[in-house]
């Protein structure tokens, strides 16, 4: 690991970045053309690239992807200053003030000795600040469904609406699974009601996500790790079949299972 910088060096590096951003905005045709709207989808892409680097456990890639996201923040601040809405100083000071308000156990006389209490205080203060009619009003509509379910449950927990014991949550999972199985018996060849099945399956997923949250597992990360594991094993299967001169589409499932089990043993 390289030597960490002093506070003065960090501030100097940030000042250098702001200067470069000024120069790019003034002189580069591509940078001059960008707007908050044109940057939006690129920012989302960069965030997912950071997520990939984190899941890969690659600190060097995490550093690079964080740098890309920092560039976007500086870019938005530059555009905001040109439009007279905000700049890097007002943006940063606003963030500092919010952090102070939402940590009254540090900057005030509120007592919070564990992370759960801190989280509950944060949600209550946030609700009051935003003036939301609902506790769930701050959950972005465009969040992916698994992450959205997690955030909905976390916010409900923040005001005390949650299970008390782990076994209660798992009993709910089993209840939802039994309801789905009873309603859509796998041995029954009759065509199912797709609308009802979708609703029941959603209930089952929601309860599983709730249990994952309760035992401190991030369901989005867990599912993505399984996705990556499947990709790795399937690509092994493809390569092994190709090396043996076989075509996957012409192989039986039993034949493919041989390579799949080899992949699991890697």
């Amino acid at each position: 690991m390289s030597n960490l910088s002093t506070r003065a060096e960090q501030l100097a590096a940030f000042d250098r970045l702001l200067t470069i951003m000024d120069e790019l905005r003034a002189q580069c045709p591509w940078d001059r053309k960008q707007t908050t709207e044109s940057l939006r989808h690129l920012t989302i892409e960069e965030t997912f690239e950071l997520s990939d680097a984190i899941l890969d456990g690659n600190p060097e890639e995490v550093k690079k992807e964080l740098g890309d996201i920092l560039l976007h923040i500086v870019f938005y601040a530059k555009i905001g200053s040109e439009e007279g809405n905000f700049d890097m100083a007002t943006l940063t000071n606003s963030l500092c003030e919010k952090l102070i308000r939402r940590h009254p156990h540090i900057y005030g006389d509120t007592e919070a000795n564990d992370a759960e209490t801190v989280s509950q205080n944060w949600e209550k203060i946030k609700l009051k600040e935003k003036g939301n009619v609902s506790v769930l009003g701050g959950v972005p509509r465009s969040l992916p469904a698994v992450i959205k379910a997690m955030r909905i449950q976390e916010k409900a927990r923040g005001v005390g609406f949650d299970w008390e014991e782990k076994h209660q949550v798992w009993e709910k999972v089993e209840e939802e699974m039994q309801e789905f199985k009873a309603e859509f018996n796998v041995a029954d060849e009759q065509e199912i009601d797709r609308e009802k099945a979708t609703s029941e399956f959603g209930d089952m997923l929601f309860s599983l996500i709730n249990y994952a949250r309760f035992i401190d597992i991030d369901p989005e990360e867990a599912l993505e790790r399984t996705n990556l594991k499947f990709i790795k094993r399937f690509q092994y299967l493809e390569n092994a079949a190709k090396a043996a001169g076989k075509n996957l589409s012409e192989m039986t499932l039993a034949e493919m299972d041989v390579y799949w089990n080899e992949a699991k043993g890697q």
Side-chain angles (χ1 to χ4, degrees):
M1 179 183 290
S2 60
N3 293 329
L4 298 180
S5 307
T6 65
R7 175 61 65 86
E9 289 170 332
Q10 293 174 38
L11 293 174
F14 193 67
D15 181 66
R16 182 187 181 199
L17 175 59
L18 293 177
T19 299
I20 292 173
M21 185 72 256
D22 290 342
E23 294 169 348
L24 293 179
R25 190 66 173 170
Q27 302 174 36
C28 175
W30 187 88
D31 288 283
R32 282 203 309 267
K33 185 179 178 181
Q34 301 314 305
T35 65
T36 53
E37 289 77 14
S38 69
L39 289 174
R40 175 182 170 275
H41 74 280
L42 297 175
T43 307
I44 294 171
E45 182 179 338
E46 294 294 353
T47 304
F48 279 111
E49 288 180 0
L50 171 62
S51 175
D52 287 345
I54 293 172
L55 287 175
D56 290 341
N58 189 328
E60 186 62 26
E61 284 300 311
V62 169
K63 181 188 74 175
K64 290 195 290 187
E65 298 303 340
L66 282 171
D68 290 340
I69 291 177
L70 178 58
L71 169 61
H72 279 240
I73 293 171
V74 170
F75 214 145
Y76 286 120
K78 178 63 177 176
I79 295 172
S81 69
E82 293 169 353
E83 296 175 346
N85 296 323
F86 56 86
D87 60 19
M88 184 53 70
T90 57
L91 181 158
T92 305
N93 282 325
S94 176
L95 172 60
C96 291
E97 290 159 7
K98 179 172 74 174
L99 289 173
I100 291 170
R101 286 196 311 271
R102 295 191 186 178
H103 289 79
H105 56 291
I106 303 295
Y107 302 102
D109 54 8
T110 299
E111 185 173 336
N113 298 316
D114 57 79
E116 180 65 25
T117 305
V118 172
S119 179
Q120 290 178 358
N121 287 341
W122 178 285
E123 291 298 337
K124 290 174 183 176
I125 296 170
K126 183 177 180 179
L127 184 64
K128 185 177 180 180
E129 287 176 354
K130 289 181 173 291
N132 289 329
V133 175
S134 170
V135 170
L136 307 180
V139 179
R141 295 188 304 274
S142 58
L143 274 181
V146 172
I147 300 175
K148 183 187 288 187
M150 185 83 163
R151 292 297 293 133
I152 287 172
Q153 293 166 4
E154 288 173 344
K155 285 184 174 294
R157 180 178 180 82
V159 293
F161 186 77
D162 200 9
W163 302 94
E164 295 180 352
E165 302 292 339
K166 181 172 61 177
H167 70 86
Q168 296 174 315
V169 191
W170 184 249
E171 286 169 4
K172 183 62 177 176
V173 172
E174 291 183 320
E175 176 188 326
E176 295 293 352
M177 293 176 71
Q178 287 302 319
E179 286 182 8
F180 187 84
K181 182 178 179 181
E183 190 72 35
F184 310 105
N185 194 314
V186 293
D188 190 345
E189 297 299 328
Q190 290 184 344
E191 185 174 352
I192 66 173
D193 182 333
R194 295 287 174 182
E195 187 69 25
K196 189 172 184 180
T198 299
S199 177
E200 293 291 348
F201 192 77
D203 291 346
M204 186 167 62
L205 280 179
F206 192 85
S207 64
L208 275 170
I209 292 169
N210 206 9
Y211 185 74
R213 175 189 60 81
F214 210 83
I215 60 174
D216 200 26
I217 292 176
D218 185 327
E220 177 73 17
E221 179 183 344
L223 181 57
E224 181 58 10
R225 288 186 182 278
T226 296
N227 289 339
L228 295 174
K229 181 169 60 178
F230 183 92
I231 290 171
K232 183 177 180 180
R233 290 176 179 175
F234 191 82
Q235 289 176 340
Y236 176 93
L237 163 64
E238 290 177 313
N239 293 331
K242 185 177 179 180
K246 299 178 180 179
N247 189 323
L248 283 185
S249 61
E250 298 173 356
M251 294 172 62
T252 65
L253 183 59
E255 290 174 320
M256 287 189 280
D257 271 344
V258 173
Y259 296 124
W260 182 263
N261 289 327
E262 287 180 6
K264 290 172 66 176
Q266 294 295 311

